[in-house]
Amino acid sequence: MATQDLVVRIGGEGGEGIISCGEILSKAVVRGGLNIHAFRTFPAEMRGGLAMFQLRASDGEARSLKQSVDILCAVNHIAYHTYVQNIKSDGVLLYDPAVVNLDDRLGSRRRIEMPLEAISTEVTGSTRAKNMVAVGVLLNAFGTPVEYGTELIREFFGRKGDEIVNKNIGAIQAGYKFAAANLHDIQKPFQRQPDRDQILVTGNEAVALGAIAAKVDFVPGYPITPATPVFEFLCRELPKYGGHAVQFEDEIATLAAGIGASFAGKRVLTATSGPGLSLMSETLNLASMTECPITIVNVMRGGPSTGLPTKTEQSDLKFAIYGTSGESPRCIMAALGIYDCFWQTIRAVRIAEKYQLPVILLTDQALAYTSQNIPTPDLTGVELGERLVPQPGTPREGFRRYEVTDTGISAMPIPGIHDLPYMSTGLEHNETGAPNYTPANHELMTDKRFRKLKTLGRRVVQQAKVEEFEPEEAEVGVIGWGSTYGAIAESLDMIEEDTGLRVAHLHPRILSPLNEWRIRQFLGPLRKLIVPEENYTGQYAHFLKAKFGIKPIEIHKAHGVPFTAEELYAAIKEEL
Amino acid sequence: MSDMVLKVADYKADLKPIWCAGCGDYGVITPFYQALAEIQAQPKDTVIVSGIGCSGRFPYFCNTYGFHGVHGRAVPTAAGVKIARPDLLVIAVGGDGDGLGIGGGHLPHVARKNVDLTYILIDNSIYGLTKGQSSPTSPLGMKSKTAPYAYVEDPVNPLLMLLAYGASFVARGYSGKPKELKEMFVAALKHKGFSVLHIFSPCVSMNREVTAKTMSEIVKPLPADWDKSNRLRGMEIALDTATFWTGVVYQERRETMDERLAAMEQRVGRYKDLHELFAHYK
Ligand SMILES: Cc1ncc(C[n+]2csc(CCOP(=O)(O)OP(=O)(O)O)c2C)c(N)n1
Ligand code: SF4
Ligand SMILES: [Mg+2]
């Protein structure tokens, strides 16, 4: 049987509990045995403005955001006004007649009056629990038993006392009952799997969990939207694993402290966003030059400058790869989904440690604030990556910290552990670490540092399986990167269903060093290459054009919101 | 190594200092070596972090772990070393431009965090390495390559700032008084918490106005019975710009960042594995 999907969007004023409604609903629906993709947007202001929560539930994979919705739940008029046209023609508008004025844009779509405030007042004595009434209504729409919701209320509010718990439970039950009477025919015949070992996390949470799994033990940070939740999570949880998360006065101090801790032997990670990465660029060079491992998770937001702090964009790629003075080797990666945020964080830390260089892992606001249910990660057999340190008993005499080796990697002594004091410096230096500006030395040492990237590139090719997705031959192919994976994959499935044509898809996670061999192999049989990106200038396409002399068809979206599968389906189909 | 008594010479790197003949910085590093010997610092457990400038070359000449970072970031880099590894002896070194100009914004924060490290701020009232531009401590009216007619800005008062920022150990010294400096270094290195030594060290090549001669006229040690616990009195002598009072101006024992972190982590408790955390997301 074909998979079933139900997409619900809830919109209302920021601060009205839209987001907590969405969160409780998400958890209940997952526990009830469905897969979800939940996306939220919220105004930059503390209160007021439009907050939106979109929940897609499926018994197949819920891989991406959907543009059109089965149910729009409009808690205020602006939500109705903004989203009415996203309701599918056979979709439903749920609205509170007390606050929403319908207009002819609704057309012949079905509408159901849903007096949230009145129901809330009736069962709790105030309008405050209207978001919980909405939880009840929507639980019913998803066909999730009401107990999953009421159980969560006990977990969330248990400590606040019986009165609060009972009011919220009352509100949920009233909403559920209302829906049973008024919209029972919306429910889909989902195949549920309620007893899976899964966790429900956002991209930011997956990154932070990945950092702990990677045995990161020092996290300096400075708050910046949309990366702040990673840092807050680690401030809360890292001490429980014996690590330190420490706030510094700015991103310059943050990365400087991170490099100091890395020099002192710690596994270091920090999370930032564009403006913070800009401030880190000088110290990033220092990490390359001193060969101190460090991982920077850059959660991209709309730019430039302060830009669109709460919106998404894939626009820091060029900066991540090239944005420093001089030529400093670093590895640039991008996570392509929520589950991947977890694994790529572990991998980023592993690469940083093994190759003794900075790694920038790109995620974005869309991943950061999307939640999905993922299998509870199993770390058995996962290689975390150890730094190469000197053999015990290595004599001081003749020790070369920056020894030129075949791989470029040389042993790094740790203060207090190895009796091999050395100088680590941002000045060009020779193999022992002493400053040396001779032409031959600069060439030798630049090559030594870049050789690590070549070694990494070679090893990535050897592990190419990890990188590939649609290896079969096709005439048209798509190369994407980062969070667009789900929407691209889904759009290509839609195309195949529709036309019978299979479009190839490559979605590298290591963007620099470029996996040349793999990309050439992918490009080989293709007649046409399409590169969709959520930016204005086509940053990855630029990189591919320069390297392979090709002219891809570029699809750019710089709206601050992610691609949807429908959008890509339409755009890619046009090129077939 | 650890059971051997280390001598002053053991702290000197093979690389000899390359400062100009007569540079005040020689008068800073010599007592520094002596102080390391006196406290028997273990080279293996000692990290010296520096910024950029003539003074930033300091760690190259020391037989310890050294980290020569970027301009202005010696203090936060050193803080990272120390917070990550409280077992290490951590020292930061840099010039007046490095620590009060480009990196000036870091000082209040390391002071209030009370990170247990020693910061040697070597002040010559000029940008030495870049050959003679005005610095944040160049006096009003001083000529330099970037103030060819006269400096039209007032200098900062480092001692006053450090006291106001809440540094838990503040000393002022002069490179022409190495004996006194050595005692100060020993006290600073032994101090638990953020200790700063603001040391005037003349630049013989680039600064013709603030010199050993002009300094020797105003340098004066604090009285033997100076009350180090009185921050307000310290501020008064900081405001006395006619005299360059030297000595340990202020010292207090306050919990350090690593002590507070350790206590906090004790309270928080430990998880035994990742599954305890995953459970919150089920
Ligand atoms: C980001 C950056 N800006 C400028 C410089 C150039 N620069 C190097 S040292 C220095 C000033 C050094 O003066 P100070 O800190 O007083 O040290 P001194 O040489 O006097 O000991 C400057 C401006 C640099 N290295 N990095
Ligand atoms: S330029 Fe000045 S500060 Fe630099 S080494 Fe020479 S005398 Fe010393
Ligand atoms: Mg100076």
Side-chain angles (χ1 to χ4, degrees):
Chain A
M1 200 170 95
T3 58
Q4 297 290 331
D5 241 22
L6 187 75
V7 183
V8 172
R9 185 178 295 178
I10 315 155
E13 192 179 323
E16 271 186 324
I18 301 298
I19 303 298
S20 55
C21 161
E23 283 175 349
I24 292 177
L25 192 60
S26 303
K27 216 164 188 163
V29 169
V30 169
R31 285 187 185 178
L34 295 178
N35 297 319
I36 69 153
H37 178 287
F39 182 71
R40 67 200 73 183
T41 63
F42 43 85
E45 303 78 30
M46 291 305 292
R47 211 191 146 82
L50 185 58
M52 181 275 262
F53 197 96
Q54 179 162 319
L55 181 61
R56 172 183 180 189
S58 173
D59 50 8
E61 283 180 275
R63 281 184 293 195
S64 68
L65 183 68
K66 282 283 189 179
Q67 191 163 304
S68 40
V69 301
D70 298 294
I71 300 175
L72 173 65
C73 179
V75 179
N76 69 5
H77 185 69
I78 311 159
Y80 165 77
H81 182 78
T82 314
Y83 300 129
V84 58
Q85 267 146 340
N86 297 119
I87 307 173
K88 289 182 186 165
S89 54
D90 59 349
V92 185
L93 169 72
L94 301 179
Y95 71 107
D96 194 335
V99 291
V100 175
N101 305 315
L102 303 184
D103 55 22
D104 53 15
R105 292 183 306 158
L106 184 59
S108 60
R109 293 177 185 98
R110 199 172 149 198
R111 69 209 66 184
I112 295 171
E113 287 189 12
M114 180 187 58
L116 290 181
E117 295 198 351
I119 298 176
S120 171
T121 311
E122 194 188 315
V123 294
T124 70
S126 94
T127 60
R128 287 234 306 280
K130 65 178 173 182
N131 61 334
M132 293 300 151
V133 179
V135 169
V137 171
L138 296 169
L139 273 178
N140 187 285
F142 285 108
T144 300
V146 70
E147 291 70 32
Y148 285 102
T150 52
E151 182 185 298
L152 279 165
I153 294 297
R154 287 198 190 88
E155 288 175 28
F156 280 32
F157 301 119
R159 272 182 308 176
K160 294 191 178 171
D162 286 348
E163 199 191 330
I164 298 211
V165 170
N166 292 337
K167 276 188 178 171
N168 283 294
I169 288 180
I172 289 188
Q173 284 168 335
Y176 200 85
K177 221 168 88 195
F178 172 84
N182 296 285
L183 57 157
H184 49 89
D185 55 329
I186 288 177
Q187 292 185 0
K188 302 259 173 145
F190 285 124
Q191 298 284 317
R192 292 167 208 277
Q193 297 170 272
D195 296 311
R196 302 163 300 177
D197 186 10
Q198 298 226 318
I199 57 174
L200 173 63
V201 289
T202 62
N204 272 342
E205 287 163 347
V207 163
L209 286 168
I212 293 177
K215 298 220 180 317
V216 162
D217 49 5
F218 190 78
V219 175
Y222 189 79
I224 183 166
T225 305
T228 306
V230 176
F231 185 42
E232 289 177 349
F233 182 113
L234 290 166
C235 286
R236 191 174 67 239
E237 305 298 348
L238 199 59
K240 300 175 190 163
Y241 293 92
H244 299 305
V246 179
Q247 184 170 336
F248 283 85
E249 54 273 23
D250 55 37
E251 286 87 349
I252 299 175
T254 295
L255 203 63
I259 292 171
S262 172
F263 175 75
K266 293 288 168 180
R267 294 165 75 90
V268 184
L269 174 142
T270 182
T272 189
S273 188
L277 187 65
S278 309
L279 282 182
M280 288 178 180
S281 69
E282 190 194 13
T283 15
L284 190 63
N285 260 352
L286 179 66
S288 282
M289 194 60 154
T290 55
E291 304 193 38
C292 283
I294 195 156
T295 302
I296 300 166
V297 179
N298 184 52
V299 186
M300 293 179 289
R301 65 192 219 178
S305 187
T306 308
L308 297 82
T310 59
K311 302 284 177 186
T312 199
E313 205 164 82
Q314 295 184 304
S315 52
D316 292 344
L317 178 64
K318 278 190 188 167
F319 185 75
I321 297 176
Y322 298 120
T324 49
S325 58
E327 296 171 305
S328 57
R330 62 184 79 162
C331 171
I332 312 302
M333 304 170 55
L336 48 78
I338 308 299
Y339 196 35
D340 206 44
C341 281
F342 179 82
W343 293 111
Q344 296 314 312
T345 301
I346 295 176
R347 190 185 194 189
V349 175
R350 174 169 72 228
I351 290 173
E353 291 294 322
K354 284 183 78 163
Y355 296 87
Q356 299 177 20
L357 41 70
V359 177
I360 301 176
L361 172 62
L362 299 172
T363 71
D364 54 35
Q365 186 272 338
L367 281 177
Y369 284 88
T370 293
S371 38
Q372 269 183 319
N373 53 308
I374 61 173
T376 302
D378 177 7
L379 285 141
T380 0
V382 172
E383 190 206 338
L384 297 180
E386 295 292 324
R387 215 180 275 190
L388 181 68
V389 295
Q391 296 288 328
T394 303
R396 273 203 198 191
E397 204 61 47
F399 175 72
R400 287 172 295 162
R401 155 67 181 109
Y402 298 105
E403 186 183 359
V404 177
T405 61
D406 290 346
T407 55
I409 303 164
S410 44
M412 180 173 184
I414 306 301
I417 294 173
H418 302 102
D419 191 10
L420 293 164
Y422 73 98
M423 260 318 287
S424 189
T425 172
L427 288 173
E428 183 58 289
H429 44 269
N430 64 18
E431 290 179 85
T432 67
N436 185 315
Y437 312 147
T438 61
N441 182 70
H442 183 43
E443 190 175 25
L444 180 75
M445 297 309 283
T446 304
D447 185 64
K448 180 233 188 267
R449 291 185 291 268
F450 273 96
R451 194 173 299 171
K452 295 186 293 182
L453 272 193
K454 286 190 193 134
T455 306
L456 171 63
R458 263 201 316 276
R459 291 185 186 167
V460 170
V461 170
Q462 285 158 10
Q463 305 164 353
K465 262 197 248 102
V466 184
E467 298 292 314
E468 71 198 288
F469 288 96
E470 299 297 339
E472 65 251 54
E473 295 197 356
E475 290 207 340
V476 178
V478 177
I479 297 185
W481 62 279
S483 66
T484 55
Y485 175 72
I488 294 176
E490 197 161 349
S491 71
L492 301 186
D493 285 350
M494 288 161 71
I495 288 173
E496 190 175 12
E497 221 166 275
D498 204 23
T499 65
L501 285 177
R502 190 69 205 150
V503 177
H505 179 192
L506 185 72
H507 215 91
R509 289 149 160 136
I510 295 188
L511 304 178
S512 178
L514 200 74
N515 190 338
E516 259 187 82
W517 172 86
R518 179 69 187 99
I519 293 175
R520 266 188 218 292
Q521 188 204 39
F522 180 81
L523 293 176
L526 297 185
R527 186 171 51 81
K528 242 185 203 178
L529 177 70
I530 302 170
V531 183
E533 290 180 77
E534 286 163 5
N535 56 43
Y536 185 77
T537 54
Q539 300 196 6
Y540 193 54
H542 178 99
F543 205 38
L544 294 173
K545 287 189 280 194
K547 202 85 182 184
F548 302 102
I550 50 171
K551 276 207 176 66
I553 292 153
E554 300 179 29
I555 304 173
H556 302 159
K557 180 178 183 183
H559 293 184
V561 288
F563 278 123
T564 61
E566 294 100 315
E567 257 170 5
L568 286 171
Y569 162 80
I572 295 169
K573 206 175 146 194
E574 205 152 287
E575 302 296 341
L576 294 180
Chain B
M1 264 267 328
S2 46
D3 39 2
M4 260 164 47
V5 175
L6 294 167
K7 295 186 290 294
V8 173
D10 293 324
Y11 294 97
K12 297 183 181 175
D14 294 340
L15 186 66
K16 297 287 159 267
I18 45 160
W19 293 308
C20 304
C23 174
D25 294 1
Y26 288 101
V28 181
I29 204 164
T30 304
F32 178 71
Y33 293 137
Q34 293 164 352
L36 289 180
E38 179 156 335
I39 65 162
Q40 285 292 293
Q42 294 301 314
K44 164 174 158 281
D45 304 328
T46 305
V47 178
I48 306 178
V49 180
S50 66
I52 304 295
C54 295
S55 43
R57 294 304 178 101
F58 210 89
Y60 289 100
F61 315 133
C62 299
N63 187 18
T64 64
Y65 276 94
F67 191 93
H68 186 210
V70 289
H71 194 26
R73 317 301 165 199
V75 163
T77 309
V81 175
K82 184 67 190 188
I83 298 169
R85 291 286 305 279
D87 56 312
L88 300 173
L89 176 67
V90 182
I91 296 137
V93 197
D96 43 324
D98 195 81
L100 300 167
I102 190 166
H106 301 304
L107 280 178
H109 304 288
V110 72
R112 70 191 175 79
K113 282 185 162 77
N114 202 25
V115 181
D116 184 16
L117 61 88
T118 296
Y119 176 38
I120 308 171
L121 172 51
I122 304 182
D123 185 358
N124 50 17
S125 295
I126 197 86
Y127 282 11
L129 188 74
T130 46
K131 301 198 182 339
Q133 302 80 20
S134 304
S135 100
T137 57
S138 299
L140 178 67
M142 182 176 123
K143 286 183 179 158
S144 80
K145 287 195 183 133
T146 49
Y149 310 111
Y151 203 32
V152 296
E153 298 169 29
D154 283 310
V156 297
N157 185 326
L159 185 59
L160 189 63
M161 276 161 59
L162 289 162
L163 289 166
Y165 290 163
S168 59
F169 178 109
V170 185
R172 190 155 71 174
Y174 175 50
S175 62
K177 302 264 183 200
K179 274 214 196 77
E180 196 192 42
L181 271 186
K182 184 203 134 186
E183 294 312 317
M184 274 186 228
F185 277 132
V186 170
L189 292 168
K190 286 184 173 167
H191 174 75
K192 278 293 278 171
F194 181 58
S195 51
V196 205
L197 300 110
H198 173 222
I199 300 172
F200 196 84
S201 166
C203 168
V204 293
S205 303
M206 298 297 155
N207 194 333
R208 298 293 147 88
E209 295 192 31
V210 193
T211 63
K213 187 165 174 298
T214 64
M215 286 305 291
S216 60
E217 285 159 14
I218 59 167
V219 166
K220 210 167 167 184
L222 286 167
D225 61 350
W226 176 254
D227 176 8
K228 288 185 289 217
S229 68
N230 191 334
R231 187 161 13 187
L232 224 47
R233 277 290 289 138
M235 289 183 167
E236 277 172 30
I237 65 121
L239 285 166
D240 171 13
T241 46
T243 312
F244 192 83
W245 295 100
T246 59
V248 178
V249 179
Y250 181 72
Q251 182 169 17
E252 70 175 314
R253 177 67 173 101
R254 200 168 82 224
E255 275 185 319
T256 62
M257 176 92 180
D258 52 83
E259 288 168 341
R260 286 180 179 167
L261 275 178
M264 180 268 286
E265 281 157 22
Q266 193 82 40
R267 282 200 307 277
V268 168
R270 286 287 177 104
Y271 274 163
K272 70 176 184 308
D273 58 23
L274 264 174
H275 286 279
E276 284 198 58
L277 189 49
F278 287 150
H280 295 291
Y281 295 88
K282 292 204 165 156

